[in-house]
Amino acid sequence: MKIVTANRLIDGEVVWLGAGNAWVGQVSEALVLDGKDDVAAALAAGLASAERREVVDVYEVDVTEEDGKLVPVRLREKIRAKGPTTHPELGKQAQASQA
Amino acid sequence: MYRYDEFDQGFVTQRTEQFKDQVRRRLSGELSEEEFKPLRLMNGLYLQLHAYMLRVAIPYGTLNSRQMQKLAHIARTYDRGYGHFTTRQNIQFNWPSLADTPKILEELAEVEMHAIQTSGNCIRNVTADHFAGAAADEIADPRPYAEILRQWSSLHPEFSFLPRKFKIAITGAPHDRAAVQVHDIGLQLTRNEAGETGFVVFVGGGLGRTPMIGRKVRDFLPEEDLLAYSEAILRVYNLYGRRDNKYKARIKILVHETGLEELKADIEAEFAKIRYGVLRLPDEEVRRIEAYFAPPPLEVLPETDGAFEARKAADAAFAQFVAHNLNPHRVPGHVSVTISMKPIGGIPGDATDVQMDEIAAIAKAYGHDEIRISHEQNVILPHVKLADVPAIFDRLVAGGMAEGNSGLITDIIACPGMDYCALATARSIPVAQRISERFGGADRQAEIGELKIKISGCINACGHHHVGHIGILGLEKKGEEFYQITLGGSANENSSIGEIIGRGFSSEEVVDAIETLVDTYLGLRSSKEETFLDAYRRVGDDPFKEALYGTG
């Protein structure tokens, strides 16, 4: 399983490609891709968005499901999805706890 | 301290305007990311894991309270209320937006600060001894020379596209606190038999994936030749440094592959050509720059102070602070105070906006408005009356900055690691925090004595792990964090690169491994005066290996 991620150009915020090729701010809302064709299409949509100056650094990320939640496989991507482990009050994890 | 003249001010303002226009063109689509990235990097703006990161230069680590207040203001207004002091005596903000960056640079320019050459393949911020101009053991203040090097290297047209980045450090004392031997160029101020000032010159030191100690190329370089000789080194490097492989592009590799004697001959040949040209430093110019760094008028005072001694006797935390965080000053009755940015269990080098404002206020009230950032990620008040130390300590306690741990096991250097950095392979900060908690008891730290632990979250070694008495390198192995330990590194006048002790440890195991090493040291040291490094150099690897792996 894969998802596509990037950073928003204007402020560097981490985003993932969601339904309808819209960028979303929480990994739980990312569009899950199975199969090469889906990944290629999502990457193409992401790169087109980068061309429109919405995001930079578009790439794919491996994910798994844990307890019904989408979780990136690599630690680096886990940290991007949550925020610094040393600052639980900052990053996505803070937004998630307020939600 | 140095004040901008009209050229400096014009140059910084112009660069700020240029960057503002570059951001505008990026956002409007005139510039692609590929075109914009090198431009933003030249202005210290990186894209990290969660956001952009802005690295602001603090030339030779020196700033005044107005500048510190500005950094606090930026942290509060454009960031998330804190900044991070780095091993190049700079500060990094972890959350600025691209849209705000031109405004931040404008605000910095108002207080004679900028982010120029804090990234990219150019000559970076020149670093210096953080006790410069104050230390009792100093031959001369290294900062006037650092400033001269800054002026020469800022936007130097010939050296703006070097094979790789280039770092210069300078120390004014025989006891090297600026790690000069692990820099591309290291300068150690010295005097010859005639009493003239000059430099011992080291070339080709560096950390990263191929750590090397700099090689001495000059025992005495006369003051007037500083720029011509530096230019000669840079020219030889610019010409022969490898551009085919970025991992082999630093001057240390050139020294290693070419051989010291041949390279020295090349440098001397180039130097001979330009020695008597425009780069020869006129004495009056050096003295003019020196005048900017004239020390504040300090009254000679008694070596001891009654109230200070009484507080020391009555307050263990104060006594601990005095024992470790004061450095001898050249003027009797004064000291340099290290403000620890390493609270027990805290994040090495982080300071909140409130703390920055408080440091500025303390510097103004008691420290002649002078502040330094050390490459060990602490803050220094260089000129303080001994009698004022109790009052300063009280304010530091209130601000959470009073840990008396300078040079001790909890005074850890750590890079941002995978919590922020796009290059990292493992986290650094949480390991530092756990070590700090494990050894944080005042008695335990004091018992262990001087022990420098340095942690990097990847092989690029921003956390200087190679020169830690105990170095920790975070790597990724099969998707898990994994920490390699080196022993015996040092970055002072007797620099050495640490040796890998054996197989690495998981995140769960690594703090226990450090404790095993520390306990082994405590068990074998010849006396309390024998530091960890001295003991290691005396006994070698074997007892530590045996304790960790039971190989014997």
Side-chain angles (χ1 to χ4, degrees):
Chain A
M1 284 199 302
K2 289 184 188 292
I3 56 178
V4 165
T5 187
N7 290 76
R8 215 152 56 194
L9 172 65
I10 191 84
D11 56 6
E13 179 81 28
V14 179
V15 288
W16 295 269
L17 200 65
N21 289 338
W23 294 106
V24 295
Q26 293 292 337
V27 70
S28 57
E29 296 162 17
L31 185 67
V32 180
L33 310 158
D34 281 314
K36 271 185 180 172
D37 292 348
D38 284 0
V39 173
L43 280 173
L47 290 171
S49 169
E51 285 292 311
R52 293 192 301 273
R53 308 184 300 283
E54 294 160 348
V55 294
V56 290
D57 282 1
V58 179
Y59 61 94
E60 63 194 68
V61 170
D62 287 318
V63 285
T64 55
E65 229 175 54
E66 283 175 18
D67 304 328
K69 282 184 178 168
L70 217 49
V71 181
V73 173
R74 291 187 62 204
L75 178 62
R76 178 187 201 274
E77 294 304 322
K78 283 190 176 98
I79 292 173
R80 279 181 84 241
K82 284 187 160 182
T85 62
T86 50
H87 272 291
E89 78 285 12
L90 297 177
K92 308 280 184 191
Q93 55 206 349
Q95 296 156 21
S97 66
Q98 282 164 12
Chain B
M1 61 189 280
Y2 185 73
R3 298 301 311 262
Y4 278 10
D5 61 20
E6 60 189 299
F7 300 106
D8 296 305
Q9 195 65 58
F11 161 64
V12 170
T13 306
Q14 198 180 25
R15 273 294 289 259
T16 305
E17 286 301 313
Q18 281 170 359
F19 188 61
K20 193 180 188 175
D21 191 51
Q22 287 156 0
V23 171
R24 183 192 63 73
R25 287 190 284 150
R26 174 69 186 112
L27 295 176
S28 73
E30 286 173 56
L31 292 177
S32 68
E33 184 63 16
E34 203 184 355
E35 290 164 327
F36 179 66
K37 189 175 173 183
L39 299 173
R40 71 164 156 76
L41 287 174
M42 282 180 201
N43 290 284
L45 190 65
Y46 289 70
L47 181 60
Q48 296 287 31
L49 292 188
H50 312 289
Y52 289 97
M53 179 273 278
L54 182 67
R55 182 181 294 154
V56 177
I58 301 175
Y60 31 88
T62 293
L63 70 173
N64 60 27
S65 58
R66 188 165 159 253
Q67 292 172 320
M68 186 63 104
Q69 282 165 341
K70 182 62 91 177
L71 297 176
H73 165 76
I74 289 168
R76 194 162 44 236
T77 311
Y78 303 100
D79 209 85
R80 308 266 166 109
Y82 69 105
H84 178 76
F85 295 116
T86 78
T87 51
R88 287 215 71 66
Q89 302 179 298
N90 292 327
I91 187 168
Q92 295 181 176
F93 293 106
N94 289 306
W95 305 89
S97 80
L98 176 61
D100 281 341
T101 310
K103 182 70 190 147
I104 298 173
L105 295 182
E106 275 177 20
E107 295 232 23
L108 288 169
E110 285 172 16
V111 295
E112 304 185 357
M113 295 183 86
H114 59 74
I116 300 164
Q117 290 181 206
T118 58
S119 173
N121 294 336
C122 53
I123 301 170
R124 302 289 189 88
N125 186 32
V126 178
T127 50
D129 180 2
H130 42 272
F131 295 129
D137 63 349
E138 187 171 85
I139 292 165
D141 189 338
R143 292 173 304 154
Y145 305 102
E147 173 55 28
I148 289 166
L149 288 165
R150 185 193 70 80
Q151 296 190 10
W152 160 78
S153 63
S154 292
L155 221 66
H156 193 306
E158 197 176 322
F159 306 138
S160 292
F161 295 93
L162 293 168
R164 200 74 182 87
K165 59 189 167 186
F166 201 92
K167 298 176 180 176
I168 304 176
I170 177 165
T171 181
H175 176 46
D176 176 13
R177 288 172 287 254
V180 304
Q181 292 178 26
V182 288
H183 280 75
D184 295 282
I185 293 179
L187 299 166
Q188 180 133 29
L189 271 161
T190 187
R191 291 235 160 87
N192 65 9
E193 284 171 6
E196 294 159 336
T197 304
F199 310 89
V200 182
V201 183
F202 298 90
V203 168
L207 301 173
R209 65 187 64 214
T210 319
M212 288 188 190
I213 300 296
R215 308 289 297 274
K216 198 196 281 183
V217 289
R218 273 292 185 117
D219 283 313
F220 185 84
L221 178 75
E223 180 186 78
E224 64 201 15
D225 294 326
L226 175 65
L227 292 186
Y229 199 80
S230 300
E231 181 122 335
I233 294 170
L234 262 299
R235 274 200 178 161
V236 169
Y237 168 56
N238 206 17
L239 188 61
Y240 298 117
R242 287 179 61 171
R243 290 173 190 266
D244 61 319
N245 179 343
K246 78 179 228 185
Y247 303 120
K248 297 193 169 178
R250 297 287 289 270
I251 195 172
K252 62 191 172 187
I253 304 293
L254 184 65
V255 174
H256 184 69
E257 290 184 351
T258 311
L260 183 67
E261 291 311 316
E262 189 180 334
L263 202 74
K264 242 164 84 172
D266 287 342
I267 294 168
E268 292 294 336
E270 186 60 37
F271 176 57
K273 278 190 233 165
I274 59 176
R275 182 174 188 181
Y276 297 105
V278 292
L279 288 173
R280 196 170 180 78
L281 266 181
D283 182 63
E284 63 270 21
E285 183 59 12
V286 180
R287 306 288 85 87
R288 185 183 75 83
I289 300 286
E290 219 168 45
Y292 285 114
F293 295 92
L298 299 175
E299 195 187 346
V300 173
L301 296 168
E303 301 267 5
T304 56
D305 176 81
F308 174 92
E309 293 300 329
R311 177 76 183 268
K312 214 167 83 176
D315 179 345
F318 182 74
Q320 165 101 354
F321 183 82
V322 167
H324 301 292
N325 291 35
L326 303 187
N327 197 63
H329 200 284
R330 59 185 170 71
V331 179
H334 293 77
V335 288
S336 299
V337 173
T338 297
I339 301 176
S340 174
M341 292 289 109
K342 318 286 175 68
I344 300 308
I347 297 175
D350 269 17
T352 66
D353 61 323
V354 176
Q355 288 177 325
M356 288 188 247
D357 273 335
E358 179 63 358
I359 290 166
I362 295 171
K364 222 169 182 174
Y366 302 104
H368 298 270
D369 205 22
E370 280 208 32
I371 303 163
R372 308 281 170 74
I373 308 304
S374 75
H375 85 271
E376 293 180 324
Q377 302 179 288
N378 289 313
V379 176
I380 314 291
L381 301 175
H383 312 294
V384 162
K385 276 184 198 163
L386 191 65
D388 286 337
V389 174
I392 293 172
F393 179 74
D394 289 338
R395 289 181 67 161
L396 293 177
V397 169
M401 301 180 278
E403 195 59 41
N405 61 351
S406 178
L408 299 182
I409 188 168
T410 60
D411 186 7
I412 299 168
I413 288 185
C415 73
M418 206 194 266
D419 281 300
Y420 296 97
C421 179
L423 299 175
T425 43
R427 286 174 296 166
S428 305
I429 295 168
V431 176
Q433 289 177 299
R434 287 191 284 133
I435 293 171
S436 174
E437 277 160 9
R438 178 77 61 96
F439 295 99
D443 293 343
R444 195 170 187 196
Q445 300 196 55
E447 175 64 23
I448 295 163
E450 184 187 333
L451 208 179
K452 294 180 191 263
I453 295 185
K454 303 182 197 253
I455 309 174
S456 304
C458 80
I459 199 156
N460 293 305
C462 295
H464 295 183
H465 66 277
H466 296 299
V467 289
H469 302 167
I470 298 177
I472 302 174
L473 166 62
L475 297 165
E476 184 181 347
K477 192 178 175 188
K478 294 178 187 157
E480 299 288 329
E481 290 168 303
F482 165 79
Y483 296 89
Q484 204 171 62
I485 295 177
T486 50
L487 298 183
S490 169
N492 64 11
E493 63 279 11
N494 300 309
S495 284
S496 52
I497 302 296
E499 300 279 342
I500 296 170
I501 185 77
R503 68 172 168 78
F505 296 89
S506 71
S507 178
E508 290 71 34
E509 296 164 337
V510 66
V511 181
D512 289 339
I514 300 301
E515 189 162 33
T516 300
L517 292 169
V518 170
D519 288 344
T520 304
Y521 153 66
L522 291 174
L524 61 73
R525 68 183 176 186
S526 58
S527 72
K528 216 185 152 191
E529 280 64 51
E530 189 180 48
T531 64
F532 180 92
L533 183 63
D534 290 340
Y536 172 82
R537 284 177 172 169
R538 176 173 59 83
V539 303
D541 270 354
D542 287 346
F544 297 99
K545 262 192 186 149
E546 176 63 29
L548 280 179
Y549 307 112
T551 48

